[in-house]
Amino acid sequence: MSLTFHWFLPTNGDSRHVVGGGHGTPATASGRDRPPTVAYLSQIARAAEEVGFAGALTPTGAWCEDAWLTTAMVSQHTERLKFLVAFRPGLTSPTLAAQMASTFQRQTGGRLLLNVVTGGENQEQRAFGDFLDKDGRYRRTGEFLHVVKELWRGGTVDLHGEHLQVQGAALSRVPDPVPQVYFGGSSPIAGEIAARHVDVYLTWGEPPAQVAEKLDRIRSLAAAEGRTLRFGIRLHVITRDTAEQAWAEANRLLDGFDPETVASVQAGLARSESEGQRRMLALHGGGSRERLEIHPNLWAGIGLVRGGAGTALVGSHDEVAERIKEYQALGIDEFILSGYPHLEEAYWFGEGVLPRLAAQGLWRHPADKDAVPTAPTTPTEPAVLAPFAS
């Protein structure tokens, strides 16, 4: 099976510095360097589409633009790219969400993927009117996905659940194709929900040994439900023609982290209820700048100022390709990547790493299924387009 790569739409703003935010923390000031206009996000999306990314993740939360509305607009400026729309099931009726997804599929030619975000922070959820505790939110997510998937199959649904109730729910037109459901969560109850309902289980970029343990646990839970899941990983990436150039860029980003911002972000993230966020914080010791390379070419520096995914693959194109193969050996075949700024880094990865994977028969451009992969010859500078005016 060919590996699948997705990029990221920075709907919280983009910059040549790391843009923080997420898990209850606000976007940092650098997010104003390149505002998340439809014009700029479309430029990133077209670049990702051109170099060979299959889709693009769009985040959700109070710290960024709305994912549904933004991707609906950006989709009109692209042709093939799929949109992995993050959404919170507790904030939308399952029947309405199923209908929205069906409409999105018809209006974009089947380019919707769904990333279900249960919500790990009580404070942020309550701002949206959701007062369930964490376990309650996960149980509600299970009910939500049950309703949505039944509706997508063309059924009529009556549910009187613990948290959700619908009566006579049905869609006049089902989506074609049915969107794949992506889902991440490291807590025990998250694993149970994933095993029963989702198509692709996602993990943040922990060292391979920790990822292997997590995937084995999810595989066992899914097998008990008579199901088999696919697996994906969420990482940042800094890839260059040489390892020295890549680490110089990582150090440049690190030099831009002022101590006050790091301390403020870490204090906020320390209050997170997310098990995945706790595991991310443990990788860098809660804010330490020492020993940030936690596995060969795996750097935890991003997590000093950003919630959620906090690690990056850093190295030469060949080294990054090898780390991708290391994760592939664990059973991961989908990679959701990002880098600062997202426009330029899409080209660095797309022109540097993807051709190397193609030459080894591990990847093909989604728009050219019959292409014969060729190895890259000489390093090339990425084709960088100037940002649109905001």
Side-chain angles (χ1 to χ4, degrees), residues 246-303:
W247 284 109
E249 177 63 12
N251 288 327
R252 184 192 70 80
L253 293 175
L254 186 63
D255 288 343
F257 301 169
D258 71 84
E260 292 78 13
T261 298
V262 172
S264 175
V265 169
Q266 292 303 305
L269 295 177
R271 296 189 291 270
S272 172
E273 294 180 297
S274 165
E275 176 64 15
Q277 185 63 70
R278 184 194 66 77
R279 292 167 69 111
M280 281 284 105
L281 293 179
L283 296 179
H284 56 65
S288 172
R289 295 177 184 237
E290 304 298 324
R291 296 183 294 277
L292 289 174
E293 188 178 8
I294 56 177
H295 182 78
N297 306 110
L298 184 64
W299 184 61
I302 302 292

Side-chain angles (χ1 to χ4, degrees), residues 7-76:
W7 197 237
F8 185 84
L9 292 183
T11 57
N12 56 328
D14 202 8
S15 175
R16 293 184 181 275
H17 303 282
V18 175
V19 180
H23 277 265
T25 61
T28 53
S30 58
R32 294 194 292 268
D33 293 351
R34 297 186 187 179
T37 63
V38 171
Y40 179 61
L41 295 174
S42 297
Q43 191 175 10
I44 295 172
R46 289 195 300 271
E49 185 173 69
E50 178 181 339
V51 300
F53 288 99
L57 172 66
T58 309
T60 184
W63 57 290
C64 58
E65 298 289 353
D66 177 75
W68 284 103
L69 291 173
T70 301
T71 55
M73 289 183 277
V74 173
S75 72
Q76 303 307 296

Side-chain angles (χ1 to χ4, degrees), residues 68 72 75-76 81-85 97-114 152 173-181:
W68 284 103
S75 72
Q76 303 307 296
L81 193 73
K82 296 182 180 180
F83 296 92
L84 181 50
V85 175
Q99 182 186 32
M100 290 166 63
S102 184
T103 298
F104 200 112
Q105 290 295 66
R106 284 192 295 277
Q107 300 296 346
T108 64
R111 293 194 283 144
L112 176 67
L113 306 169
L114 287 178
W152 286 345
R173 300 175 67 185
V174 298
D176 182 21
V178 170
Q180 295 285 288
V181 174

